Amino acid sequence: MCQNPHNKSVAGNFIDTARVRRDQTGLSFSRAIQIAFTQAYSWRTWNNSTLKETKLQWTMAARILPVVKLATKLTIAGGALYVACDSGLLGSSEQGSEALEKAKAAIPPAIDEWMKYFGLEAQLPTMPKVEFSPVQAWNSGVRQTISTLSEAPTKATGYTNQCLQYLKDLTK
């Protein structure tokens, strides 16, 4: 705790000052405390050693804070990587599929448990069943592209004929 030159704590000093001020001026005790507190923590009333200690503490905090932030970020990233490796997400495709099935099975009960814990009784919508096959999507994309490329000359000829007919109709 910061000490003043009279070897009293600053808090004790401003309470004593507030009592004296209250007795002398007739102010309310709360107003006297406000005034004494302002004077006690004013930079003009502190001695130089107190200012140096306070500045040193703030300087140390300013230097430590970025280190703590970095350590927190690294811990979170490391924990996420550990969980991903441990659950098999970064393994083979079979391990990834198993991890996905485990997550699908574990997430809805966990959400229900947390909702009961927080007192929420709302019903969540059911998870939609998405039947998506990347192989089928790829194959249909390839088929569509090849079909468009094979029909391109015929379509270009048809559009050119339509354009020429439109221009002939405009010039009549």
Side-chain angles (χ1 to χ4, degrees), residues 129-142:
K129 298 290 182 187
V130 178
E131 296 297 328
F132 176 74
S133 172
V135 174
Q136 285 300 103
W138 174 262
N139 287 343
S140 66
V142 169

Side-chain angles (χ1 to χ4, degrees), residues 57-73:
Q57 290 170 353
W58 280 106
T59 304
M60 288 173 48
R63 289 182 183 166
I64 291 173
L65 187 62
V67 174
V68 170
K69 285 172 59 177
L70 178 65
T72 303
K73 290 176 184 178

Side-chain angles (χ1 to χ4, degrees), residues 23-132:
D23 294 340
Q24 290 174 350
T25 61
L27 292 173
S28 69
F29 188 66
S30 61
R31 180 64 184 140
I33 285 197
Q34 288 176 348
I35 293 170
F37 183 81
T38 305
Q39 289 176 349
Y41 285 102
S42 170
W43 65 272
R44 284 178 256 130
T45 60
W46 285 15
N47 60 9
N48 285 336
S49 65
T50 305
L51 287 174
K52 288 177 184 175
E53 289 174 15
T54 305
K55 186 175 180 182
L56 179 63
Q57 290 170 353
W58 280 106
T59 304
M60 288 173 48
R63 289 182 183 166
I64 291 173
L65 187 62
V67 174
V68 170
K69 285 172 59 177
L70 178 65
T72 303
K73 290 176 184 178
L74 289 175
T75 302
I76 291 170
L81 185 63
Y82 174 77
V83 168
C85 289
D86 191 45
S87 65
L89 287 176
L90 301 178
S92 66
S93 61
E94 290 84 18
Q95 289 175 334
S97 296
E98 289 173 14
L100 179 63
E101 293 303 319
K102 286 179 186 176
K104 283 182 182 178
I107 289 175
I111 290 174
D112 290 338
E113 181 180 334
W114 278 101
M115 287 179 67
K116 289 176 185 172
Y117 179 76
F118 288 113
L120 302 173
E121 296 299 326
Q123 287 291 330
L124 293 177
T126 59
M127 295 274 290
K129 298 290 182 187
V130 178
E131 296 297 328
F132 176 74

